[in-house]
Amino acid sequence: MASNKAARDGEKTNIDKVNAELVTLTYGTMVAQLCSDFNNKYSEVNKQLDKMGYNIGMRLIEDFFAKSGMQRCSNFRETAETISKIGFKIFLNITPAVTNWSADNKTFSLIFDENPLADFVELPNDGRAQDELWFSNIFCGVLRGALEMVQMQVEAHYVSDVLRGNDTTEMRVTLLRYMEDEMPPDDE
C-alpha cells in the first residue's frame, strides 16, 4: 500500500514538473508573439504583459483566498510577507525575499532567487531587449490587479533582472493609497 502511495506521489511530482515547464514554454511563446506583434517595441510589450497580469490578478485573488484560508492583512508589511511566503508559494512554488523597505513602510522589494517564467529564456539579441524588455512583467500586473481587489492601489516595476545580465531579479512594489470600497477601474 505504501509503495502505491509513493508511486502516486512520484507521478504527481512529474506531472507538476511537466505542467510548470508547459506554462514556462507557453509564456515564452506568448512574449515572443507580443514582440512580433508590436515590432519589438518593448515598452508596448511591457504594457501588454502588465495589462494581462492585471486582469489575471483581479481573478486570482479569489483563488488565493480559497486556497490559503487567509483573511485580509492588517498592514502593508503583512501584505508583503503574505505575497511572498504564501501567494508566490501557492501559485509558483517560489518564495521571493521581502527586503529594502522604505522608511515610511510603503515600498519594498521582492528579490527572486528563481523565476520559473525565465527558465529556458534568452532575450532577443537586438541591442535593445537587454535594456527595454521586462520579460516577467506579467507579475507586476498580477500584483496590481490582486491588490486592487483588496482596496490597495500599488505600483509595481522591475529594477533588475538576471535575464538582462543583472546579479538579481528585483521588483519594487509601492503602496499608492488604500482605496475606499469602490469598483475597480475598467483597466481593459
Side-chain angles (χ1 to χ4, degrees):
M1 187 77 145
S3 64
N4 286 341
K5 182 179 181 335
R8 284 192 311 271
D9 288 346
E11 287 174 12
K12 181 174 179 0
T13 301
N14 288 338
I15 290 171
D16 288 345
K17 182 175 171 91
V18 168
N19 287 341
E21 288 177 357
L22 180 62
V23 168
T24 299
L25 294 171
T26 302
Y27 181 77
T29 302
M30 182 187 69
V31 173
Q33 185 62 51
L34 286 171
C35 290
S36 175
D37 290 350
F38 291 101
N39 298 315
N40 293 335
K41 292 179 184 166
Y42 299 120
S43 62
E44 190 59 36
V45 173
N46 293 336
K47 287 178 193 172
Q48 292 299 315
L49 291 171
D50 182 80
K51 189 184 301 185
M52 294 166 116
Y54 178 85
N55 289 322
I56 292 168
M58 288 179 64
R59 288 155 185 80
L60 200 63
I61 191 70
E62 291 177 24
D63 198 33
F64 168 78
F65 283 127
K67 286 182 177 182
S68 70
M70 294 281 304
Q71 300 297 315
R72 284 193 181 196
C73 297
S74 60
N75 59 48
F76 198 51
R77 274 190 173 266
E78 185 180 348
T79 299
E81 292 297 326
T82 300
I83 289 167
S84 170
K85 293 186 172 99
I86 301 172
F88 275 102
K89 188 69 173 174
I90 287 173
F91 294 110
L92 295 171
N93 200 28
I94 61 172
T95 307
V98 177
T99 187
N100 299 332
W101 279 95
S102 62
D104 63 1
N105 287 322
K106 291 187 176 183
T107 302
F108 65 90
S109 290
L110 289 172
I111 307 293
F112 295 83
D113 289 332
E114 56 184 317
N115 178 354
L117 293 182
D119 290 346
F120 319 116
V121 173
E122 288 183 24
L123 294 181
N125 190 12
D126 63 1
R128 292 182 21 254
Q130 297 288 330
D131 297 325
E132 298 174 21
L133 179 61
W134 293 106
F135 185 81
S136 301
N137 212 44
I138 198 166
F139 288 158
C140 295
V142 168
L143 289 182
R144 266 188 341 102
L147 291 175
E148 278 191 22
M149 295 306 291
V150 292
Q151 280 70 44
M152 285 184 227
Q153 185 178 17
V154 300
E155 194 272 332
H157 65 276
Y158 282 97
V159 295
S160 65
D161 190 341
V162 294
L163 290 175
R164 291 175 152 208
N166 302 116
D167 292 334
T168 61
T169 299
E170 177 180 352
M171 179 196 299
R172 291 292 283 167
V173 181
T174 301
L175 175 65
L176 302 175
R177 69 183 180 106
Y178 288 100
M179 300 161 36
E180 299 299 319
D181 284 336
E182 57 189 60
M183 294 300 293
D186 187 19
D187 197 36
E188 274 60 81

